[in-house]
Amino acid sequence: MDPWAPGGDGTPPDLAALTTLQVLRRLDSGPRGLTDAQAEERLLRYGENAVPEWRTASWPRRFVRSTRDPFTAVLLCLGVVSATVSAWGTALVILSLVVVSCLLRSSGEHRADRSMAGLRELVATTATVLRRGSDGDGDGSGARGGGGARGGRADGGGSRPREIPVDQLVPGDVIRLGPGDLVPADVLLLRASGLTVHQAALTGESAPVEKYAVDAAAPTGVEPVARTPAAGETFAGVFAQPRLCFQGSSVASGSGTAVVVATGTRTRFGAARGRPGRRTASAFDRQVNGISWVLIRFMLLTPPLVLMANAALRGRGLETLPFAVAVAVGLTPEMLPVIVTTALARGASRLARHHAVIVKRLPALHDLGAVDVLFLDKTGTLTQDRPVVGGSTDANGDPDPEVLRWAAVNAWWTLQLADLPAPDALDDAILDAVDEEDPARYEGVAALPFDSVRRLSTAVVRRPGSLGTHTLVVKGAVEAVLQRCALDDEERDRLSALAAREADSGLRLLAVATAERPARHRDYSPADERGLDFRGFVALHDALAPTAAEALKVLAERGVTVKILTGDHPGTAARACLDLGLDMAAGGLAGRDLGGGGHTGRDLGGRDLGGRDLADGGVGTGGLGSGGLADGGLGSGGGEVVTAERLDALTDAELAEVARHTTVFARCTPEHKARIVAAVRADGHTTGFLGDGVNDLPALHAADVGICPRDAVDVVRESTDVVLARKDLTAIEHAIGAGRHSSGNIATYLRITLSSNLGNVIAMLVAGLLLPFLPMLPAQVLVQNLCFDAAQLAFAYDRPLPEALRRPTELRSRAFFRFITGFGLINALSDLATFALLASASHAAVDGDGQAEFHSGWFTENLLTQALVMLLLRTSARPASGRRAPSPVRWAAAGLAVTGLLLPLSPLGPVLGMPPLPGLSYVLLGAVLGLYAAGLVLARRRIGGAQL
């Protein structure tokens, strides 16, 4: 049995509970690494350290896959039936429509795949590994030296570092990590020095995470007890463990030595990539399939009913089969696959061309148009990946710019004297907030950089004109600085309580203190960081994304509710929402004018400061001032922030109820995110989710449409439906608008076509039973359908009215069929009135010439009524006064009407059995059409207001 078999989640079992020595023993390795022979044997046993490549479907396979939707399948069946009864013209037209639709759809998705190929990221190709040429005493080396950072030399006893291809790494290998390196496998740290890694590809959090070697059984002494975890750290599961680094992350700073614990598909990254992640039916699939199968049942019932009725009442036999098939084809919206594919492909093409948004799966564009709940993370979407200074105050909470100046002196001289490669994000924000010349006026003497134990940094400077005195400037986490200040217990407790009480307001604080010391040549040490004079606090907050406020406002106007799923602190998430005007009580926008997304921040220089301490990536509680988020903003009632602890206590039904009135969910794990999305989706909403890390995969698969930015990890890009040029709400707003544009055109086509077709079919069935002849010849039905199809193609190029883009586009079956039934019956009554008038005027029941005139009259009436329907029922929303239909539909309707009037007069008329109509017939048709138009307008006011 494999002693290191991965658990069900793709990682070694109980790794968090094992000490470093136990891990090394279980791996049969040690700090000096493996021998070449051991590595070769393990490579054969475990395989190469490579994740499975995802292959995109070939163009022929996509073409075949395009025939699977219900309407395309029924069209194929009707084409075969038409060919069977020798209706070759009908069969050829139907099969041509199917081929065109499949070509358009497969070509569009193939182009999206080619665009995605240009976004593939480079991966690590080599790694620095310690290998020994002979066995020596390698088997027991894990026991000697303490099995970790505190035991012996990592490369002693003949071990030597070498560069090898990443795919040759095996469990038990000891590797070295340095700045800029990609972590090539899942590893456990044996030794680390100032190591921080970017885990955005795994967790979605942009800030570097501090990593250090520490036994699971004895973390005390390395991590201070008073430390409050970073945003989401406590709730990020295995990714938050400080001694583990994972494939897919990269080293931001520092160095380390680590032992490989999992490779290939056994890594967290590989396991996530290898999961199929098949999503359930999307909103588009559910809506179109629901309508499709109802229509398919009608179409399958129509031919038998026509045959039986004609046989029973008229004694006709199989000679009516072509007519019965023509009636079924007449009910079929045969242009639907072409219209759907053309409309979606044009929308996807516009998005790619104008907004650099790639739609990988064409139906996902319809899903975007139907989205009414959008889930996203705070970082990188509502806020930028950097903090900014909000203000500085003294110990009483009054504005004090001197505190910010001292903080800048500390940041500047720590960077200069400690030989740091670059300032961290907090120091960078502080330096950006002051004049560059202010810190330079002081003379730097020494610096003690930040570390994870002290959680503060110290700069020793000499003031201008003060030769015999050195000034220690200390900046860091609130608790760490207060412990080193010369304060009585009462004052220290007051400041700590003040900071803790305001933590939920979302501002992050750094404490600043100074001390005067006699000048000396002896080196300074952490022991000198005592007896400090407390100066005050510097408040920082996340920089808001400049386009977020306006995009949120537009999304709210378009009926999209935005909900935040974040692993961050509840106060930080809530403050970002409030500053952007996102109404946490109603789940929508408060409508505040934020001046282009700038931070309102209440009074950042005054008394409304609170939040969490950050010091070089560390986060702790702290804050000051009065105010906060409406008595904490995290209690019960409207506007609460729901955290992971409460989610765990809710059933799925209770979660759906809570989600209806909750905007922010904080400290969420990947499982929490997926569960929330699934609950909202099950509650009848169409959901979208924006994510970029491996931890977002469950939620991306749970949503109707998955969205990710271009710089997301490749496994996420390959799993989502839509890829944005950047993580920006503006791009999503454009994508939703394009989706509604295309979906609105599809819905309009279905409304008009099905209501018209239903009326024609009812009229043909009634006429076929009442008249002693066929009301229309099969060839005439075919030409009529071709004219309809050519005109209806204009809907794919339509420009919907603005009103149609202000709400999600849905095809709700009940309202949809109520619409087409109502208008279909009106159309049928118009056709039957035409029958009666034509029959009486042309004496069609008596002679063959009268029958031909009847065919001509009904053909003309059908095309004219179709043109009227295209103009009057173009949208379910009533257009503004004086607004005309857009050019594509107007010209198509005009062409259809002209064809109906001129075709019987043309040389093709006699060929199709349609002679010119007498003048009286045109007068009668005009009267019928006038009544029909009036009926449409009246019915539209009652039926057309229904939202589909």
Side-chain angles (χ1 to χ4, degrees), residues 273-483:
R273 188 184 181 92
R275 286 194 291 265
R278 184 178 297 274
R279 185 184 287 116
T280 57
S282 67
F284 179 82
D285 299 327
R286 296 194 303 270
Q287 293 168 12
V288 171
N289 289 352
I291 294 173
S292 298
W293 284 112
V294 173
L295 294 176
I296 288 170
R297 294 186 186 100
F298 277 113
M299 286 183 284
L300 295 177
L301 288 174
T302 299
L305 289 176
V306 173
L307 290 174
M308 289 187 294
N310 278 278
L313 298 178
R314 295 293 178 182
R316 299 168 184 161
L318 291 178
E319 67 270 14
T320 60
L321 181 59
F323 176 73
V325 173
V327 171
V329 173
L331 181 61
T332 308
E334 63 268 18
M335 285 294 289
L336 179 62
V338 176
I339 296 292
V340 168
T341 304
T342 303
L344 295 179
R346 291 189 73 246
S349 177
R350 285 196 304 269
L351 279 176
R353 186 168 57 251
H354 299 300
H355 304 291
V357 175
I358 299 174
V359 179
K360 297 171 53 186
R361 185 177 60 87
L362 286 183
L365 190 59
H366 170 86
D367 295 339
L368 277 172
V371 163
D372 61 344
V373 179
L374 177 64
F375 294 96
L376 45 87
D377 196 355
K378 172 184 67 68
T379 305
T381 308
L382 302 181
T383 61
Q384 301 181 54
D385 296 339
R386 62 182 182 86
V388 293
V389 172
S392 58
T393 63
D394 60 19
N396 297 318
D398 298 321
D400 187 352
E402 281 294 300
V403 177
L404 179 59
R405 182 175 62 82
W406 281 119
V409 170
N410 172 280
W412 173 264
W413 286 110
T414 301
L415 176 64
Q416 299 298 319
L417 298 178
D419 196 25
L420 299 177
D424 68 11
L426 298 177
D427 284 347
D428 216 5
I430 291 172
L431 293 175
D432 286 342
V434 299
D435 192 330
E436 293 182 0
E437 297 181 358
D438 284 348
R441 292 191 295 109
Y442 296 83
E443 179 183 349
V445 175
L448 301 174
F450 175 90
D451 64 56
S452 59
V453 176
R454 292 161 47 242
R455 300 185 60 233
L456 51 81
S457 62
T458 298
V460 183
V461 298
R462 182 181 295 111
R463 299 192 191 203
S466 180
L467 298 179
T469 304
H470 288 171
T471 302
L472 275 67
V473 185
V474 179
K475 167 179 62 65
V478 172
E479 296 92 338
V481 173
L482 290 179
Q483 289 173 2

Side-chain angles (χ1 to χ4, degrees), residues 672-749:
H672 289 134
K673 294 180 181 180
R675 188 174 171 225
I676 294 168
V677 173
V680 173
R681 187 180 179 187
D683 200 30
H685 297 277
T686 304
T687 58
F689 184 87
L690 173 64
D692 57 3
V694 172
N695 66 318
D696 292 323
L697 280 174
L700 286 167
H701 289 304
D704 286 289
V705 55
I707 311 168
C708 76
R710 182 172 58 185
D711 55 358
V713 63
D714 57 353
V715 65
V716 172
R717 288 201 310 268
E718 291 165 352
S719 302
T720 53
D721 305 306
V722 179
V723 180
L724 309 177
R726 58 191 180 280
K727 198 174 182 181
D728 185 0
L729 278 181
T730 302
I732 299 180
E733 179 248 311
H734 289 310
I736 290 176
R740 292 185 181 178
H741 185 135
S742 300
S743 300
N745 290 344
I746 296 169
T748 300
Y749 163 78

